[in-house]
């Protein structure tokens, strides 16, 4: 480690030399001998650094401040700077210690300065001010002791080295993180850009679309697809295809509205996102894109005529703002454009949506269902838990069309529920059920009412009127409603139910357990029974939880004086478990599937059924959930 000593008195240099003599054993011994001679018991031991490693000093001696400054400059130039400089404060006639320290500091910000002072010299503060920073300036008063100098030198030397290592490490880290950042942005660029066109790729497009969707403003999402691109690829080769893609990408970028994002989504498909004032403006912007692509290109020596089709969807505040759905709709519009020929722009409209179209068809068909005689009711027996006596039948609506075959009510009831059709259907169901009822010896019919039906004006009067007209005792009619129907407006529902029950109707709470009602909540409603949802019965054999839920529904139902009907009973095991749990009534394929009125009459007359295990056969060609492939 290099140290610098500057003092105008040659004798002082001798003292320093004794401190910093090179440490081969003999000279160290000599030093300690000499030191012992000079300083008695205060003789310094060989300087060690913290880990016990001996510090070797390489000292440079100067008699004048200017020489010292020159040494520092040279040392820095050589790349072997000093760790510590011992500077005498008074060095007439040259520059004094303060000035020397100031100039050295100016050259070397890292050097530790030890100011060696007499009593009447500058105050430490004055020197720090001139040659700071304070944590790199130290003081030793003359006359000093060798031990003091050596310890100061080795401590500072050690610190200097540590500082320098740290600085080097920091510099390295800095360099690495800069490199890392560069790599990262390179990786990010690669991940979000298309290598052929350098345009944003699908990932970047989806990200931008997601931001737009969240932004809440009106914007357009356009899908651009090249016409007859495959032909170019097949006849002129992939290189030509690539060339055409690049050219079209450039043209699009130059011809989209300001601020638009043009991304290559893959193959010959591009996505364009831009803010717009409305559908008309968006279509005009797309027309411009199509027009700009309709030009002749020179591709690898061939003349190629470009052409593109565009599908666009404009998303405004009220629209469904799901990015996947936005792209799906733009794709549907593009499909439509493609079907219509080349160079066509199409804006999305709902009729392009297969699922919407299917819904429309269902809706349309349902409107005609009654007059076309496509509806019927199927009846599923409800039996007592102990003797399996048939006490009632649930009426379940069936719809069979020429076009679709049998369609599941789980699919068409919600569609009817969203329009007013549900009322027409509901009227038909109730009348039909009441027509069949007199044929049965004494059973009740259980009719499902959707929330919308239940909430209609004067529901009580409506039901009563139809039942009276059919000449049926209300006690033979059970009204099945769901939790949704009553909890939307609990007060009103409670009143309606109360009146119905006063008139003698039976009331069942359907699909119990799937909604948000607790048994505590249902106390205020006038009910006859709870129908435990099929999902719990399904789970009984498998999960302890379902069995526990069934158990507690049965118990609490009993405590409230309610019957409990277990729905969807399919196996002997479930029957046993439900009997143990104490369910008052059972319903399910185990006893009978929903059957036509004539078959129901047979069961009604027999009054008892043994279990049947025939669970094969699918009732519906079209169920809820697979409607789109109809
Ligand atoms: P829901 O009221 O819960 O009717 C019970 C459903 O479970 C019926 O389906 C029935 O066929 C089926 N099911 C009965 N036992 C079993 C069994 O052991 N295993 C299995 N896997 N299923 C069983 P469906 O007939 O398809 O009716 C579906 C839903 O459509 C009904 O559920 C009801 O919410 C609604 N629905 C049916 N008819 C009408 C109606 O006339 N009016 C109203 N508003 N809704 C109706
Ligand atoms: Ca039901
Ligand atoms: Ca049910």
């Amino acid at each position: 480690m290099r140290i610098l000593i500057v003092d105008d008195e040659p004798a002082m240099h001798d003292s320093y030399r004794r401190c910093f003599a090179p440490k081969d054993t003999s000279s160290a011994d000599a030093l300690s001998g000499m030191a012992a001679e000079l300083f008695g018991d205060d003789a310094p031991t060989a300087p060690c650094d913290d880990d016990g490693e001996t510090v070797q000093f390489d000292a440079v001696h100067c008699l004048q401040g200017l020489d010292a400054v020159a040494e520092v400059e040279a040392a820095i130039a050589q790349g072997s700077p000093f760790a510590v400089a011992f500077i005498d404060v008074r060095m007439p006639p040259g520059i004094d210690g303060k000035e020397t320290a100031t100039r050295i500091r100016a050259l070397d910000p890292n050097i530790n300065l030890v100011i060696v002072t007499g009593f009447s010299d500058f105050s430490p503060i004055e020197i720090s001010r001139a040659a700071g920073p304070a944590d790199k300036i130290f003081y030793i008063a003359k006359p000093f002791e060798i031990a003091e100098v050596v310890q100061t030198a080795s401590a500072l030397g050690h610190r200097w080295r540590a500082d320098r290592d740290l600085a080097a490490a920091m510099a390295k880290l800095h360099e690495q993180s800069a490199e890392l950042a560069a790599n990262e942005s390179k990786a990010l660029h690669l991940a979000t850009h298309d290598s052929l066109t350098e345009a944003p790729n699908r990932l970047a497009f989806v990200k931008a679309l997601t931001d737009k969707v969240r932004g809440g403003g009106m914007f357009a999402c356009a899908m651009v697809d090249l016409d007859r691109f495959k032909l170019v690829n097949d006849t002129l080769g992939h290189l030509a295809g690539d060339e055409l893609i690049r050219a079209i990408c450039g043209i699009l970028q130059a011809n989209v509205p300001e601020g638009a994002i043009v991304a290559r989504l893959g193959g010959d498909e591009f996505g364009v996102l831009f803010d717009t004032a409305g559908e008309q403006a968006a279509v005009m912007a797309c027309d411009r894109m199509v027009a700009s692509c309709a030009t002749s290109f020179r591709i690898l020596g061939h003349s190629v005529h470009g052409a593109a089709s565009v599908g666009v969807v404009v998303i405004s505040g009220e629209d469904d703002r799901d990015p996947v759905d936005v792209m799906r709709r733009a794709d549907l519009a593009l499909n439509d454009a493609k079907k219509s020929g080349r160079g066509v722009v199409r804006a999305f409209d709902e009729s392009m949506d297969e699922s919407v179209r299917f819904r429309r068809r269902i809706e349309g068909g349902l409107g005609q269902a009654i007059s076309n005689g496509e509806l019927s009711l199927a009846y599923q027996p409800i039996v007592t838990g102990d003797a399996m006596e048939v006490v009632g039948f649930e009426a379940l609506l069936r719809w069979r069309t020429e076009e679709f075959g049998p369609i599941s009510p789980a699919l068409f009831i919600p569609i009817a529920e969203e329009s007013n059709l549900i009322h027409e259907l509901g009227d038909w169901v109730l009348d039909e059920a009441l027509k069949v009822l007199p044929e049965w010896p004494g059973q009740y019919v259980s009719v499902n009412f959707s929330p919308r039906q239940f909430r209609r004006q004067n529901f009580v009067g409506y039901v009563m009127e139809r039942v009276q007209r059919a000449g049926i005792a209300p006690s033979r009619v059970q009204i099945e409603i769901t939790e949704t129907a009553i909890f939307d407006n609990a007060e009103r529902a409670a009143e309606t139910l109360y009146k119905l029950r006063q008139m003698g109707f039976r009331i069942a709470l359907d699909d119990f357990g799937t909604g948000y009602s607790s048994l505590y909540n249902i106390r205020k409603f006038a009910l006859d029974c709870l129908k435990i949802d099929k999902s719990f019965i399904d789970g009984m054999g498998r999960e302890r939880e379902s069995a526990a839920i069934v158990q507690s529904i049965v118990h609490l139902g009993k405590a409230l004086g309610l019957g409990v009907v277990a729905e969807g009973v399919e196996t002997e095991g479930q029957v046993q478990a439900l009997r143990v749990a104490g369910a008052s009534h059972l319903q399910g394929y185990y006893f009978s599937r929903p059957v036509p009125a004539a078959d129901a009459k047979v069961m009604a007359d027999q009054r008892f059924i043994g279990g049947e295990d025939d669970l094969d056969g699918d009732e519906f060609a079209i169920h809820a959930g697979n409607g789109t492939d109809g």
Side-chain angles (χ1 to χ4, degrees):
M1 178 168 311
R2 301 192 74 205
I3 65 174
L4 177 66
I5 295 157
V6 45
D7 199 306
D8 62 322
E9 271 180 71
M12 282 306 294
H13 287 277
D14 292 339
S15 302
Y16 281 114
R17 274 194 190 94
R18 280 198 289 276
C19 300
F20 301 121
K23 250 143 250 87
D24 64 66
T25 340
S26 57
S27 65
D29 282 352
L31 171 70
S32 52
M34 261 192 300
E37 201 179 291
L38 259 165
F39 301 102
D41 282 348
D42 285 340
T45 49
C48 290
D49 68 11
D50 290 349
D51 12 285
E53 200 192 310
T54 309
V55 180
Q56 297 281 357
F57 291 108
D58 169 14
V60 173
H61 296 263
C62 299
L63 289 165
Q64 282 299 317
L66 288 174
D67 297 343
V69 173
E71 286 289 349
V72 168
E73 198 166 9
I76 288 174
Q78 285 161 24
S80 52
F82 292 104
V84 189
F86 287 84
I87 305 168
D88 181 27
V89 165
R90 272 183 295 180
M91 296 177 288
I95 57 171
D96 65 19
K98 183 184 157 197
E99 183 60 25
T100 306
T102 308
R103 294 197 192 180
I104 288 177
R105 170 64 68 223
L107 292 168
D108 186 346
N110 300 317
I111 193 168
N112 290 291
L113 302 176
V114 182
I115 309 297
V116 185
T117 66
F119 290 112
S120 57
D121 294 311
F122 299 102
S123 77
I125 294 167
E126 266 177 281
I127 299 175
S128 302
R129 242 183 237 142
D135 70 330
K136 284 199 164 57
I137 297 188
F138 302 85
Y139 300 90
I140 288 182
K142 275 186 189 175
F144 57 74
E145 290 180 2
I146 288 183
E148 194 184 352
V149 170
V150 171
Q151 274 166 13
T152 304
S154 46
L156 292 181
H158 199 240
R159 207 182 85 167
W160 177 84
R161 198 157 60 189
D163 283 355
R164 195 190 52 178
D165 291 349
L166 189 70
M170 294 287 281
K172 177 127 193 158
L173 206 68
H174 214 80
E175 198 179 290
Q176 279 174 347
S177 64
E179 197 179 319
L180 214 66
N183 278 340
E184 200 181 352
S185 69
K186 205 157 119 192
L188 194 69
H189 184 88
L190 280 177
T192 55
H193 286 75
D194 167 52
S195 56
L196 177 64
T197 58
E198 279 296 308
N201 61 11
R202 180 175 283 272
L203 186 73
F205 185 77
V206 171
K207 166 88 178 55
L209 175 59
T210 307
D211 291 346
K212 276 254 179 277
V213 157
R214 293 205 183 118
M218 188 185 279
F219 69 94
C221 172
M223 297 289 163
V224 182
D225 191 279
L226 302 194
D227 297 327
R228 296 197 304 180
F229 174 72
K230 202 174 169 300
L231 199 70
V232 174
N233 243 352
D234 291 351
T235 55
L236 304 179
H238 286 271
L239 274 180
D242 285 358
E243 223 23 72
L244 181 61
I245 294 279
R246 253 201 298 262
I248 291 279
C249 185
I251 286 187
L252 281 176
Q253 279 163 337
N255 289 282
V256 290
E258 206 175 305
I261 293 166
V262 177
R264 181 175 177 222
L265 304 181
D268 59 339
E269 195 174 321
F270 294 88
V272 184
L273 277 182
F274 55 96
D275 292 332
T276 186
E279 193 171 282
Q280 213 182 345
V283 169
M284 271 166 69
C286 293
D287 280 336
R288 263 196 305 281
M289 292 184 228
V290 166
S292 66
C293 291
T295 174
S296 279
F297 297 92
R298 242 7 243 177
I299 303 276
L300 302 180
H302 304 276
S303 167
V304 175
H305 196 76
S309 297
V310 179
V312 62
V313 60
V314 174
I315 305 298
S316 70
E318 309 91 65
D319 285 312
D320 182 1
R321 301 183 75 90
D322 167 35
V324 176
D325 202 53
V326 171
M327 282 180 78
R328 190 180 64 88
R329 281 181 274 169
D331 267 331
L332 286 172
L334 176 61
N335 276 344
D336 205 75
K338 283 278 191 198
K339 272 189 242 155
S340 316
R342 270 171 278 148
V344 172
V345 175
R346 277 278 180 279
F348 172 78
D349 87 68
E350 291 220 323
S351 68
M352 295 170 184
D353 201 326
E354 184 56 34
S355 62
V356 170
R357 210 154 53 208
F358 180 74
R359 267 186 90 85
R360 291 271 151 82
R361 268 158 83 191
I362 292 281
E363 243 175 61
L366 213 46
Q368 318 297 309
I370 297 173
S371 53
N372 289 351
E374 293 166 350
L375 297 180
S376 64
L377 284 184
Y379 299 90
Q380 188 177 35
I382 299 168
V383 307
T384 55
D386 42 20
M388 293 200 195
E389 182 187 355
V390 179
V391 293
F393 291 88
E394 178 172 2
L396 293 158
L397 185 55
R398 295 292 176 260
W399 179 30
R400 171 186 280 277
T401 71
E402 285 276 312
E403 189 182 4
F404 299 118
I407 304 168
S408 160
L411 179 93
F412 69 80
I413 292 284
I415 294 175
E417 170 82 1
E418 277 175 32
S419 64
N420 270 324
L421 280 171
I422 192 69
H423 295 302
E424 248 180 90
L425 291 185
D427 291 353
W428 185 88
V429 169
L430 183 55
D431 290 347
E432 183 69 18
L434 293 172
K435 235 187 271 172
V436 174
L437 198 56
E439 296 174 20
W440 302 339
Q443 289 89 349
Y444 63 83
V445 69
S446 198
V447 179
N448 292 284
F449 289 89
S450 78
R452 191 150 168 181
Q453 286 174 276
F454 181 71
R455 284 190 221 114
R456 72 191 272 164
Q457 274 287 294
N458 192 17
F459 178 71
V460 179
Y462 152 81
V463 179
M464 195 59 200
E465 197 236 42
R466 290 190 114 83
V467 170
Q468 274 176 342
R469 209 197 302 156
I472 302 286
S475 60
R476 290 191 71 190
V477 178
Q478 177 164 276
I479 291 166
E480 288 198 21
I481 47 160
T482 58
E483 298 165 71
T484 343
I486 58 176
F487 283 99
D488 271 9
N489 187 346
E491 292 308 310
R492 191 169 156 217
E495 199 189 312
T496 306
L497 293 178
Y498 177 78
K499 284 190 203 154
L500 288 169
R501 198 126 179 281
Q502 286 286 85
M503 292 168 169
F505 290 101
R506 305 172 50 94
I507 315 282
L509 193 55
D510 203 0
D511 303 341
F512 189 74
T514 57
Y516 35 89
S517 53
S518 69
L519 278 157
Y520 178 82
N521 277 337
I522 62 167
R523 285 186 312 173
K524 60 170 170 276
F525 299 106
L527 302 172
D528 290 275
C529 66
L530 304 174
K531 299 190 82 172
I532 307 179
D533 191 67
K534 178 178 179 307
S535 55
F536 299 113
I537 311 300
D538 275 347
M540 270 180 93
R542 291 190 310 267
E543 325 147 345
R544 207 178 281 219
E545 206 192 19
S546 292
I549 290 173
V550 170
Q551 187 85 55
S552 64
I553 292 177
V554 170
H555 275 292
L556 289 160
K558 274 188 177 161
L560 290 171
L562 302 176
V564 173
V565 184
E567 274 191 309
V569 180
E570 293 184 350
T571 66
E572 172 80 43
Q574 289 169 343
V575 172
Q576 297 309 336
L578 286 160
R579 278 196 179 140
V580 170
S584 60
H585 295 85
L586 310 174
Q587 178 187 352
Y589 292 175
Y590 178 77
F591 306 101
S592 169
R593 284 178 172 272
V595 294
D599 299 351
K601 178 169 165 40
V602 174
M603 273 187 264
D605 289 338
Q606 284 174 347
R607 283 192 40 226
F608 292 94
I609 19 175
E612 66 151 84
D613 235 335
D614 169 29
L615 301 178
D616 308 330
D618 209 342
E619 271 187 281
F620 307 110
I622 298 179
H623 293 269
N626 65 357
T628 42
D629 44 44

